[in-house]
Amino acid sequence: MSRETFVVLCAAAAAMCGCQSSKVKISGRIVGTEPRNIYLEEVTPLRQTIVDSTVLAADGSYLFRLRDIAASPSLYNVVYDNERIPLLVEGGDRVTVNSAGSVVRNYTVEGNEESSLLREFNLAYVEGAEKLNDIAAAYARNGQSEEELKRLAKAYSDEYLRIKRAQLAFIVEHKASIAAVYALSQ
């Protein structure tokens, strides 16, 4: 290899390494609700910290810009009306999160594959948790017959096991993804 070719290759490699951005842009729209504050929360093993906030525009749009974000994925939550949308973002990401109506039950994520996988997991998890809450509320009502209480207890147990099986299936199916670690922690 000639000296000129070597110098050109080294310069190209340095330029490619220097292109790695440490900036992140998270934007989107939340429609079907009145304009309010929306927060971005960084999640670490020991705590959740709000790192940015803004007010939704009249059309429901918002934008967060972060700097000095690591090249490895980090967990963040978009928080609106006490509901959290988990995102795994890394330096250079341009993520779009849109929602209509219920934020957690009806949202889309574009621009990051790991965050899209988190959405897939989160929707099933939230749906299952809501079913468990409904069954528990029915069980807590007064005036239930012994037979009805047994039926509700079995329904709760069956739903809990279904949720756990779905979580394990997600983890096995996506074992090479960071989203599987998030699913494991739930």
Side-chain angles (χ1 to χ4, degrees):
M1 178 183 307
S2 71
R3 182 175 178 195
E4 292 83 22
T5 304
F6 180 73
V7 170
V8 168
L9 286 175
C10 287
M16 288 175 60
C17 290
C19 289
Q20 177 64 32
S21 175
S22 65
K23 296 178 184 177
V24 170
K25 176 183 168 189
I26 300 171
S27 62
R29 275 183 77 204
I30 297 179
V31 296
T33 61
E34 62 186 64
R36 293 191 198 168
N37 289 340
I38 185 167
Y39 304 93
L40 186 64
E41 181 178 74
E42 182 179 22
V43 181
T44 62
L46 299 177
R47 65 177 180 226
Q48 298 171 329
T49 307
I50 294 175
V51 294
D52 201 356
S53 68
T54 189
V55 176
L56 293 179
D59 66 351
S61 62
Y62 66 91
L63 171 66
F64 295 115
R65 291 184 191 272
L66 303 172
R67 298 178 194 273
D68 301 323
I69 303 300
S72 58
S74 298
L75 183 60
Y76 287 84
N77 288 323
V78 172
V79 183
Y80 183 77
D81 199 22
N82 289 323
E83 295 185 316
R84 286 171 168 72
I85 297 174
L87 301 173
L88 282 166
V89 297
E90 55 192 80
D93 278 351
R94 304 292 180 259
V95 181
T96 304
V97 180
N98 295 311
S99 179
S102 172
V103 174
V104 174
R105 281 185 257 128
N106 193 25
Y107 72 94
T108 61
V109 177
E110 297 174 2
N112 181 291
E113 184 62 31
E114 290 289 335
S115 293
S116 295
L117 287 174
L118 279 185
R119 177 191 173 274
E120 179 184 324
F121 170 79
N122 201 41
L123 290 176
Y125 183 76
V126 166
E127 178 184 301
E130 287 175 350
K131 286 181 182 177
L132 289 177
N133 287 340
D134 291 345
I135 295 168
Y139 190 90
R141 278 188 234 126
N142 291 330
Q144 304 284 351
S145 68
E146 187 69 29
E147 185 176 303
E148 179 65 11
L149 291 175
K150 285 182 183 178
R151 186 191 69 74
L152 288 170
K154 177 160 179 20
Y156 189 94
S157 176
D158 290 346
E159 181 62 20
Y160 181 81
L161 290 174
R162 186 197 66 76
I163 293 168
K164 289 302 174 189
R165 285 187 192 109
Q167 282 179 297
L168 289 173
F170 179 89
I171 291 165
V172 169
E173 184 178 338
H174 302 288
K175 61 185 169 274
S177 121
I178 304 257
V181 176
Y182 176 85
L184 189 59
S185 72
Q186 298 301 307

